[in-house]
Amino acid sequence: MSKVNLAVDLNGLKLKNPILTASGTFGYGLEYAPYLDLNRLGGVVVKGLSLWEEEGTSPPRIWETASGMLNAIGLQNIGVERFIAEKLPKLKEYDTAIIANIWGKTIDDYLKVAERLEKAGDISALEVNISCPNIKKGGMSFGVSPDSAYDITCRLNEATSLFLIVKLSPNVADIKPIAKAVEEGGADALSLINTLIGMAVDVETKRPRLKNITGGLSGPAIKPVALRMVYEAIKAVQIPVIGIGGIMDLYDVLEFLIVGARAVEIGSANFVNPRVTIEIIEALEGYLEEKGIPDVNEIIATLEVE
Ligand SMILES: Cc1cc2nc3c(=O)[nH]c(=O)nc-3n(C[C@H](O)[C@H](O)[C@H](O)COP(=O)(O)O)c2cc1C
């Protein structure tokens, strides 16, 4: 029995510890079961689900950079129906929060996926990826304008009683009005950041490294940007914020918690070490014991700026 409390409560979403996996970097959770005990995680955020099965973009679609990676997977997934039939029954055998990351091309797509997941049961929360292109608005993403971010959050809030986490895009000039719009639209929490847009070129062939030309940059390279955006979002809203971006170890987690994130998601680090989430949970527990801090909540939002 641990001497310290790791449990956090995100205004209704109760997690046994603040360590979650980031969507797209942990499959549907079950793929990692041979390497670690899923019961020990605060929660599993599954690969982004759409109404249809999505093949994603053509390879090459991953490129390693100096301090992170570029990916252009194109939101490949098995679709919400197969997720409910094939993955959810096994996933719910574990005692951990199941958070379904969802996306669509239109608001209706999002609503249908959300309704389907709510009906299926056993989902602790939805994480809404508003960073993907909205075809009906000419390839823009819902996450880049406060108005469209408000609209989609509002509609989802009316359509489902599931806990609603809206995941923000960092590819905006100012995150604060978008964070506020999402809060006003009725989101229960925010998570950020998604990947930054980047590219890499092969100088021999003079061709882009990715078939898609550009891709999403993740990993240690984006941590300072993520931390700054989480800091700004926390100042703009009252709802809980989940920090994501370049978290590789305990000290990265502590930075996000000190800034005020109530939980964090670990992404690219899972590709380097599939057991990283468990190692971080153990390190967090050890850190609190060593420092004589009885409760992880005592660390959250302790940033001193004076
Ligand atoms: C290969 C890959 C696939 C991803 N797929 C998704 C996805 O389906 N939905 C989503 O919201 N974010 C997706 N992301 C973004 C991550 O969840 C996370 O926001 C981002 O990688 C930053 O965290 P990190 O630096 O810890 O990796 C993906 C990231 C990677 C690297």
Side-chain angles (χ1 to χ4, degrees):
M1 193 57 194
S2 169
K3 292 190 230 78
V4 293
N5 175 52
L6 289 183
V8 289
D9 183 344
L10 278 61
N11 289 358
L13 178 64
K14 293 186 169 64
L15 304 173
K16 63 170 77 165
N17 63 62
I19 310 300
L20 307 166
T21 61
S23 179
T25 65
F26 207 71
Y28 301 100
L30 303 165
E31 295 88 332
Y32 278 75
Y35 309 105
L36 55 92
D37 181 3
L38 297 176
N39 293 303
R40 297 181 63 192
L41 298 173
V44 170
V45 182
V46 302
K47 175 70 191 157
L49 298 166
S50 50
L51 205 49
W52 54 88
E53 293 193 28
E54 174 66 48
E55 274 186 21
T57 47
S58 314
R61 47 191 204 170
I62 295 270
W63 180 254
E64 188 170 352
T65 73
S67 52
M69 62 186 268
L70 282 170
N71 91 81
I73 305 295
L75 295 165
Q76 178 186 20
N77 78 98
I78 59 173
V80 69
E81 292 305 334
R82 276 186 61 200
F83 170 75
I84 290 168
E86 297 169 23
K87 308 291 180 187
L88 191 56
K90 290 182 202 130
L91 202 49
K92 71 186 190 197
E93 286 172 15
Y94 294 95
D95 174 27
T96 188
I98 303 170
I99 301 176
N101 181 286
I102 65 167
W103 68 277
K105 292 177 181 164
T106 66
I107 293 185
D108 259 7
D109 295 341
Y110 281 88
L111 297 180
K112 285 185 185 136
V113 181
E115 281 162 6
R116 204 49 206 97
L117 287 163
E118 178 162 9
K119 224 169 122 200
D122 297 299
I123 301 285
S124 305
L126 293 178
E127 181 179 64
V128 188
N129 178 5
I130 58 168
S131 318
C132 35
N134 163 9
I135 304 302
K136 285 218 169 141
K137 283 194 180 156
M140 292 277 285
S141 124
F142 291 105
V144 298
S145 109
D147 286 350
S148 54
Y150 173 83
D151 274 356
I152 190 163
T153 310
C154 237
R155 296 279 306 279
L156 275 162
N157 193 34
E158 284 162 9
T160 171
S161 60
L162 283 171
F163 190 94
L164 215 54
I165 304 166
V166 177
K167 181 169 178 180
L168 305 186
S169 164
N171 300 308
V172 295
D174 188 358
I175 200 78
K176 295 186 288 293
I178 299 183
K180 271 193 205 138
V182 164
E183 179 179 50
E184 279 161 20
D188 297 299
L190 296 179
S191 63
L192 67 156
I193 58 175
N194 210 314
T195 53
L196 288 153
I197 301 166
M199 76 183 275
V201 172
D202 180 338
V203 295
E204 296 301 326
T205 63
K206 299 188 168 56
R207 301 182 76 83
R209 294 288 189 182
L210 298 173
K211 179 82 177 173
N212 196 51
I213 304 176
T214 60
L217 181 65
S218 62
I222 72 167
K223 196 189 81 181
V225 178
L227 209 50
R228 183 264 299 173
M229 291 191 126
V230 165
Y231 170 70
E232 289 175 344
I234 283 169
K235 286 206 295 184
V237 300
Q238 304 293 318
I239 52 176
V241 171
I242 301 170
I244 320 168
I247 298 176
M248 305 302 285
D249 61 23
L250 166 69
Y251 292 94
D252 296 332
V253 172
L254 291 173
E255 282 191 67
F256 279 91
L257 296 182
I258 289 168
V259 161
R262 305 258 285 271
V264 294
E265 293 179 21
I266 311 222
S268 302
N270 291 298
F271 298 134
V272 183
N273 170 10
R275 288 184 46 80
V276 70
T277 43
I278 300 295
E279 289 173 14
I280 288 177
I281 293 165
E282 284 169 358
L284 180 59
E285 202 167 37
Y287 175 87
L288 294 174
E289 281 173 10
E290 192 189 306
K291 298 272 180 192
I293 303 169
D295 186 335
V296 70
N297 290 283
E298 288 183 20
I299 291 180
I300 296 171
T302 53
L303 184 72
E304 293 185 21
V305 286
E306 297 296 294

